[in-house]
Amino acid sequence: MLEIIEAFTRLDLDATKALTKQAVQAGIPARTILEKGLSKGLDQVGELFANQQYFLAELMVAAYIMEQVMPEISEKLKEEVGEDTLQGKIVFGTVEGDFHFIGKNIAISLLQAAGYEVYDIGEDVSPDVFVPKVRDFQPDIVALSALLLTTMPGIGEVIDALELTGLRKQVYIMIGGRPTSQQTAEQYGADAYCETAMDGVVTANKFMTQKRREQ
């Protein structure tokens, strides 16, 4: 996985794609390739951006690389996730003031591969936008992403807005993003913290199992 991480970090599309294909052919689980290789490389790019060694242009290249490489593992991911996975509807967005999208998009790709209908409402989304989207789409789950310490309070603002409008009890809420944690989930009243994109799939499956048992 180290070679994949290094290739991704230096934004070498050809090398990242070739190494990912080699890993698939070697029988390495797609989940491992994603979590221990591609996602780690993406984290490195994020750190370089945070340290002002990479800029927005490099982030866009990283997003493009991920889009180009994901098809190499998508079929194996579907097999590993399972075709009979319980399905549901999810509203997914990055909170207000935060323009990061790569991690969110990876999570959405995995959820869709697992059979979920995901309504991506984008980045820098205020509670005033989240609430009507949730009301109109009527999801089972609301997923909130925050990639900056300064935007984490936006998680609580969205949850509070859903509470005030009577929508909170109708949905499960899961959160994720580099600065978030289980403590963050407890602080703002979310139902779950997802450390990785695959954790999002596992958590969504648990929520849907629970919901069907309660119906």
Side-chain angles (χ1 to χ4, degrees):
M1 295 298 101
L2 182 59
E3 291 182 332
I4 291 177
I5 296 171
E6 292 175 345
F8 198 120
T9 302
R10 65 176 184 268
L11 303 176
D12 187 333
L13 170 59
D14 291 340
T16 304
K17 195 169 185 177
L19 290 165
T20 299
K21 186 177 294 186
Q22 289 174 20
V24 171
Q25 293 171 345
I28 298 173
R31 177 173 180 170
T32 300
I33 296 170
L34 178 65
E35 293 186 349
K36 304 298 184 182
L38 298 171
S39 291
K40 293 294 185 182
L42 187 60
D43 286 344
Q44 292 289 330
V45 172
E47 289 180 12
L48 289 168
F49 177 77
N51 294 330
Q52 298 185 336
Q53 293 175 266
Y54 276 179
F55 300 94
L56 183 59
E58 283 78 14
L59 283 183
M60 297 299 291
V61 171
Y64 178 74
I65 290 173
M66 188 62 76
E67 289 176 0
Q68 295 299 305
V69 174
M70 280 300 291
E72 299 294 338
I73 62 173
S74 60
E75 289 304 315
K76 284 196 70 174
L77 276 173
K78 288 180 182 179
E79 293 173 6
E80 292 170 16
V81 169
E83 293 296 334
D84 297 326
T85 301
L86 295 174
Q87 299 177 353
K89 296 168 64 178
I90 301 174
V91 164
F92 206 135
T94 303
V95 299
E96 188 171 16
D98 201 318
F99 296 88
H100 291 77
F101 60 89
I102 301 175
K104 171 177 66 67
N105 290 356
I106 294 171
I108 288 173
S109 295
L110 289 182
L111 288 163
Q112 290 174 332
Y116 286 90
E117 182 180 359
V118 184
Y119 186 2
D120 180 5
I121 59 175
E123 301 78 49
D124 186 28
V125 184
S126 71
D128 291 341
V129 174
F130 261 106
V131 168
K133 296 298 185 184
V134 171
R135 183 184 293 116
D136 294 343
F137 193 62
Q138 297 185 353
D140 303 292
I141 299 167
V142 173
L144 306 174
S145 175
L147 277 295
L148 300 170
L149 283 171
T150 54
T151 60
M152 279 204 305
I155 293 172
E157 292 169 5
V158 172
I159 294 175
D160 288 345
L162 293 172
E163 188 74 51
L164 286 171
T165 53
L167 296 170
R168 175 65 182 94
K169 293 180 180 179
Q170 300 176 23
V171 297
Y172 296 100
I173 297 178
M174 56 188 192
I175 68 169
R178 184 178 301 168
T180 62
S181 63
Q182 180 59 38
Q183 182 179 355
T184 308
E186 294 171 1
Q187 177 182 352
Y188 294 122
D191 295 300
Y193 158 66
C194 304
E195 184 176 2
T196 68
M198 188 59 77
D199 286 341
V201 174
V202 173
T203 301
N205 289 346
K206 289 179 180 178
F207 285 157
M208 296 311 301
T209 298
Q210 181 177 335
K211 182 171 184 174
R212 284 170 171 77
R213 286 174 179 169
E214 293 173 351
Q215 290 177 341

